[in-house]
Amino acid sequence: MKTWDVIIIGGGIIGLSLSLALRKRGGSVLVVERGEPGREASHAAGGMLVDCPLETPPPLQSLATASARLYPEFAHEIQIESGMTVDLRDFGTIAFPPQEHIHEHPGFTAANLSPTALSEREPALADSTHPAFYLKERSVDPRALTAATAKAAKKQNVDFSSGDAVTSVDLSEGRATGVTTTKTSFLASKIVNCAGCWSGQISPSRLPTRPVKGQMLCLVMNPRNLLKHVIRTPDVYLIPRSDGRLLVGATVEEAGFDKRTDPDTIQRLHRAALKIVPKLADAKIIEDWAGLRPGTPDNLPILGATEIPGYYVATGHFRDGILLAPITAQVMADVIEGRKPEYDLLPFSPSRF
Ligand SMILES: Cc1cc2nc3c(=O)[nH]c(=O)nc-3n(C[C@H](O)[C@H](O)[C@H](O)COP(=O)(O)OP(=O)(O)OC[C@H]3O[C@@H](n4cnc5c(N)ncnc54)[C@H](O)[C@@H]3O)c2cc1C
């Protein structure tokens, strides 16, 4: 029976980018995905690469900054290997943070965009008098990114099993030896659970992941470059894509494993977008959807080795999994190879729960 060095459970952006990192270091890798790779949270995401002390939880700041820095190279390599584009945009973010966040962060006491500068940068904004901050952040198209990462992984000879869920990690004499799925089993000496908000459903290790629902909609801008920057307000965010789409998001709901959208909620998001950019009144809604973020009790990811030798976890990336994919792939590949990662992973240890 064929064996692999590493089996990755879950083909979202976290599992896919880790599979690529491990292949590049020479290991054989199998990704076992219960559906199609990249169709869950990683498909639903907005793709803001948020790296801002006003919003990033302090224990996550160094990983967030490191990952944001890795993005141009990460995206470039994936684009070259896949022959696809991922729409990495570098126009920055205009943020209208809640006042209470500003007071908590001395570095943000004064807005760094005057009303004139704001209306020059984004003439379509209805009101340029609120304190606004320009942040040097990028955005990416998560659907394009996951599709391209899956293609790049296949080109690098990562193996895939799709359409069959892992039910358990198999153990022999206390060590991980493979996985059992609903139809078959696969062998490997190292297993990584990257199953997003479903991670806790795989036995034996009961990880405290939970789904945190996010609803979004997509408009088509007219003209297609009506907005250039990502716009973030306390009520809504707007993410322009280079092809003229504009994503409007997102709710943060404790609603269990429910991916239905609610028309009233979508309307509310739509109205909030129109209030900021009245010219969007002409823009057609082409899609709405909901996805399930992988939440954890402390809203921090779970990264590292479990108490079971050979069994690892990279999950719980909550609102930042697209941002954190490059650094997660790097540090997890280090941990799996038995090397000390460049960053302290103690705050993210699986044993903290
Ligand atoms: C509305 C919304 C907006 C977001 N916006 C942003 C953003 O702007 N920026 C950002 O950085 N992040 C954002 N996120 C968060 C980001 O999407 C997630 O953190 C990230 O996608 C998590 O990736 P993942 O690979 O861990 O999970 P997923 O993409 O959910 O992948 C997990 C995979 O595991 C598979 N799986 C589950 N159980 C099993 C099993 N038993 N066997 C085999 N396979 C299994 C699933 O089918 C799935 O494909 C957003 C999320 C949502 C929902």
Side-chain angles (χ1 to χ4, degrees), residues 12-14 33-34 41-42 45-48 166 318-323:
I13 193 60
I14 297 300
E33 164 57 50
R34 126 199 119 142
S42 306
M48 294 178 293
V166 172
F318 192 36
R319 304 191 74 173
D320 295 307
I322 304 298
L323 166 70

Side-chain angles (χ1 to χ4, degrees), residues 53-54 58 98-112 133:
L54 288 173
Q99 284 303 315
E100 62 272 21
H101 284 200
I102 296 179
H103 294 312
E104 284 163 16
H105 292 87
F108 288 86
T109 44
N112 65 8
F133 295 85

Side-chain angles (χ1 to χ4, degrees), residues 288-318:
D288 60 52
W289 66 89
L292 303 177
R293 306 174 183 93
T296 61
D298 57 8
N299 293 333
L300 295 175
I302 311 176
L303 304 173
T306 70
E307 73 282 7
I308 298 168
Y311 184 31
Y312 303 83
V313 185
T315 190
H317 292 76
F318 192 36

Side-chain angles (χ1 to χ4, degrees), residues 31-229:
V31 174
V32 185
E33 164 57 50
R34 126 199 119 142
E36 281 297 311
R39 304 296 299 183
E40 292 292 351
S42 306
H43 191 74
M48 294 178 293
L49 304 179
V50 178
D51 172 23
C52 170
L54 288 173
E55 290 158 82
T56 307
L60 205 52
Q61 189 62 64
S62 58
L63 282 192
T65 302
S67 214
R69 289 207 181 115
L70 287 174
Y71 241 93
E73 194 186 333
F74 174 72
H76 177 71
E77 282 185 10
I78 287 170
Q79 293 190 135
I80 297 289
E81 282 160 19
S82 65
M84 298 167 73
T85 56
V86 303
D87 200 20
L88 184 68
R89 287 168 61 92
D90 201 5
F91 293 103
T93 294
I94 293 173
F96 299 91
Q99 284 303 315
E100 62 272 21
H101 284 200
I102 296 179
H103 294 312
E104 284 163 16
H105 292 87
F108 288 86
T109 44
N112 65 8
L113 276 180
S114 67
T116 315
L118 180 56
S119 58
E120 274 170 10
R121 277 186 179 271
E122 283 298 3
L125 289 176
D127 184 357
S128 42
T129 57
H130 284 292
F133 295 85
Y134 172 78
L135 305 169
K136 233 177 138 11
E137 289 175 355
R138 297 184 175 88
S139 69
V140 71
D141 180 344
R143 294 185 185 181
L145 180 73
T146 42
T149 313
K151 193 166 171 198
K154 282 178 190 154
K155 278 205 172 164
Q156 291 281 345
N157 297 321
V158 170
D159 291 322
F160 280 83
S161 158
S162 300
D164 189 11
V166 172
T167 51
S168 63
V169 173
D170 301 328
L171 307 181
S172 175
E173 294 173 2
R175 274 200 68 87
T177 53
V179 297
T180 293
T181 70
T182 49
K183 295 184 192 143
T184 185
S185 57
F186 298 105
L187 294 176
S189 52
K190 291 177 178 172
I191 316 295
V192 197
N193 186 334
C194 299
C197 68
W198 298 270
S199 297
Q201 296 178 348
I202 296 161
S203 67
S205 174
R206 292 264 166 229
L207 295 161
T209 49
R210 71 177 197 287
V212 183
K213 180 174 174 175
Q215 301 188 45
M216 295 192 78
L217 65 136
C218 179
L219 304 165
V220 180
M221 293 185 284
N222 182 18
R224 57 190 258 175
N225 59 352
L226 181 67
L227 289 177
K228 231 166 62 171
H229 304 74

